[in-house]
């Protein structure tokens, strides 16, 4: 079996950058915020994941200074809404670049629901939502120490919403929720609607 090797700084020599297709599937951080005036914003981020369970910490990277980042810096709060297969079209719509005063939830035909602790609304149709408060925004640097235009946003979960329809014997039914994940190129997604149980030896 032959191998295609490249150094990222030299270019990949392929029709499209394979990096995002190799590190996959990636959970989608569907982040809702409000600005200083209380205007809502909703946007998906594919460089996203849970970073810690105790305390529960989430992180996502913003490539460039976007409205979500500006809102979080202004308010210190955000909400993660679970993106799912049935909501895939809405997730895609909320990725559009629009003016800061445009309500992406309304644009995508989504109803908003209030949160308990933070000011930002959550997506009512999402099976789960995590209210978060900002811990830090870290500017990402490269190997030479040069700052990039990317920021890592880290927040702690302070409130959890779970639709009761997705609780089975006290457990969140991930397969029923059908989380949506990014899979590489522009329109590629996966849906986690089947769980593989592999026994673990302690």
């Amino acid at each position: 079996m032959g191998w295609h090797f490249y150094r990222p700084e030299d270019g990949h020599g392929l029709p499209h950058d394979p990096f995002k297709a190799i590190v996959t599937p990636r959970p989608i951080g569907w982040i809702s915020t409000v600005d200083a005036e209380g205007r809502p914003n909703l946007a998906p981020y594919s460089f996203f994941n849970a970073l810690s369970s105790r305390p529960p910490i989430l992180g996502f990277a913003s490539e460039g200074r976007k409205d979500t980042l500006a809102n979080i810096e202004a308010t210190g709060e955000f909400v993660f809404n679970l993106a799912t297969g049935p909501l895939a079209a809405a997730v895609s719509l909320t990725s559009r670049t629009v003016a800061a005063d445009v309500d992406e939830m309304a644009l995508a035909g989504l109803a908003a629901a209030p949160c308990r602790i933070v000011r930002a609304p959550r997506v009512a149709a999402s099976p789960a939502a995590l209210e978060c408060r900002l811990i830090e925004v870290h500017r990402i640097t490269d190997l030479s120490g040069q700052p990039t235009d990317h920021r890592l946003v880290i927040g702690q979960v302070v409130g959890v919403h779970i639709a009761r329809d997705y609780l089975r014997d006290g457990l969140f039914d991930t397969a029923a929720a059908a989380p949506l994940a990014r899979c590489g190129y522009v329109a590629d997604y996966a849906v986690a609607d089947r769980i593989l149980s592999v026994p673990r030896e302690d």
Side-chain angles (χ1 to χ4, degrees), residues 24-194:
T24 187
R26 298 187 309 280
I28 296 171
W30 205 13
I31 307 297
S32 54
T33 59
V34 292
D35 64 15
E37 284 73 47
R39 296 176 297 187
N41 180 275
L42 178 66
Y45 289 83
S46 66
F47 287 110
F48 163 86
N49 220 315
L51 305 180
S52 168
S53 62
R54 296 182 182 175
I57 304 292
L58 300 180
F60 71 94
S62 177
E63 298 187 316
R65 292 199 58 81
K66 300 178 180 178
D67 293 336
T68 299
L69 176 61
N71 292 351
I72 293 172
E73 288 178 325
T75 66
E77 300 174 339
F78 64 94
V79 181
F80 160 71
N81 304 272
L82 184 63
T84 66
L87 295 171
V91 172
S92 181
L93 276 173
T94 60
S95 69
R96 293 171 56 186
T97 301
V98 295
D101 61 350
V102 173
D103 181 346
E104 287 87 353
M105 282 197 199
L107 183 69
L110 297 166
C115 283
R116 297 283 189 90
I117 299 170
V118 306
R119 289 185 295 161
R122 58 189 173 87
V123 175
S126 178
L130 308 177
E131 300 184 31
C132 301
R133 285 204 169 126
L134 177 65
I135 293 175
E136 69 172 304
V137 175
H138 174 76
R139 189 165 188 179
I140 297 173
T141 61
D142 63 17
L143 283 172
S144 67
Q146 291 298 309
T148 70
D149 196 30
H150 300 182
R151 272 83 171 173
L152 176 62
V153 179
I154 300 174
Q156 182 168 331
V157 178
V158 295
V160 178
H161 300 261
I162 302 172
R164 288 193 179 94
D165 288 349
Y166 294 92
L167 288 175
R168 306 281 189 272
D169 300 321
L171 302 177
F172 183 70
D173 191 336
T174 304
L180 188 68
R182 286 292 282 125
C183 284
Y185 303 112
V186 176
D188 296 340
Y189 293 85
V191 177
D193 56 3
R194 185 174 69 91

